[in-house]
Amino acid sequence: MELSTVQLVTILISAYAAFLSTAVFAWNIYNARSERGKIRIHASYGYLVGGGGSSDVQLIFEFTNVGKKPVQFTNFGGVFYKRYVRDGKWAFVITTRGIPLKLEPGDRHFEYFDNTRIVDERVKDIMAYDSLGNKYRLSRKLLKRLKSEVKSL
């Protein structure tokens, strides 16, 4: 079976169109994922100076929207290692007055805690959640450093 020139051109055009539409579809998926809001968590120990605050060491969490879209920051908490789980309670929520809140791109939000026991050897992960249910984890390296620092306090 031989193809005429018209049929061959038709097949080449349809193959090119199929390839191009697949590439555009993949590009749109990539852009949709990269342009959303994203929360980066940083934590450290420090002191609050001025304002009549406590002179004790504080655990300070910084939440930054490093994405290109606003994000609704709804929840903040963590997960325990399985060996410390009792009565099925494997997760915890840290309640604060400042959460939930909307973080615009580039916005930062700080939370200060007198209780440095939030980070101890039982904690496996510390996470923030947005209104879509996405999880944003504190880096394991930083969590490990915080755990070692809390022992020296």
Side-chain angles (χ1 to χ4, degrees), residues 77-80 92 123-127 137-138 140 143 147:
V79 177
F80 293 119
F92 60 94
V123 177
K124 179 180 178 183
D125 274 322
I126 294 201
M127 296 173 268
R137 285 187 163 88
L138 179 68
R140 299 221 175 172
L143 183 59
K147 287 179 184 181

Side-chain angles (χ1 to χ4, degrees), residues 65-107:
N65 182 359
V66 294
K68 297 180 181 178
K69 302 266 178 157
V71 64
Q72 183 71 26
F73 176 28
T74 59
N75 207 351
F76 172 47
V79 177
F80 293 119
Y81 283 106
K82 287 185 180 179
R83 65 180 170 262
Y84 296 110
V85 173
R86 289 185 179 77
D87 302 326
K89 297 176 183 169
W90 55 273
F92 60 94
V93 175
I94 302 169
T95 57
T96 64
R97 291 186 308 256
I99 301 173
L101 73 123
K102 183 177 183 180
L103 289 173
E104 294 292 332
D107 282 355

Side-chain angles (χ1 to χ4, degrees), residues 39-150:
I39 299 172
R40 183 181 330 156
I41 308 172
H42 183 75
S44 62
Y45 293 103
Y47 297 94
L48 290 179
V49 179
S54 172
S55 62
D56 294 336
V57 174
Q58 304 249 322
L59 179 57
I60 304 165
F61 285 98
E62 175 187 6
F63 304 94
T64 308
N65 182 359
V66 294
K68 297 180 181 178
K69 302 266 178 157
V71 64
Q72 183 71 26
F73 176 28
T74 59
N75 207 351
F76 172 47
V79 177
F80 293 119
Y81 283 106
K82 287 185 180 179
R83 65 180 170 262
Y84 296 110
V85 173
R86 289 185 179 77
D87 302 326
K89 297 176 183 169
W90 55 273
F92 60 94
V93 175
I94 302 169
T95 57
T96 64
R97 291 186 308 256
I99 301 173
L101 73 123
K102 183 177 183 180
L103 289 173
E104 294 292 332
D107 282 355
R108 293 179 175 177
H109 177 70
F110 292 92
E111 290 292 338
Y112 306 94
F113 299 96
D114 289 328
N115 184 0
T116 57
R117 291 186 55 221
I118 292 171
V119 177
D120 62 13
E121 73 277 350
R122 300 175 301 157
V123 177
K124 179 180 178 183
D125 274 322
I126 294 201
M127 296 173 268
Y129 298 89
D130 66 12
S131 60
L132 301 174
N134 297 321
K135 297 178 191 175
Y136 305 97
R137 285 187 163 88
L138 179 68
S139 74
R140 299 221 175 172
K141 182 179 177 181
L142 184 54
L143 183 59
K144 185 177 178 181
R145 189 187 65 152
L146 288 173
K147 287 179 184 181
S148 67
E149 286 178 9
V150 79

Side-chain angles (χ1 to χ4, degrees), residues 1-19:
M1 176 174 150
E2 288 186 27
L3 296 176
S4 70
T5 306
V6 173
Q7 290 174 329
L8 185 60
V9 169
T10 305
I11 289 173
L12 288 175
I13 289 173
S14 64
Y16 175 73
F19 172 76

Side-chain angles (χ1 to χ4, degrees), residues 20-37:
L20 189 63
S21 66
T22 303
V24 167
F25 179 70
W27 181 254
N28 286 338
I29 289 175
Y30 170 77
N31 278 340
R33 293 194 49 84
S34 67
E35 290 184 0
R36 64 183 182 163

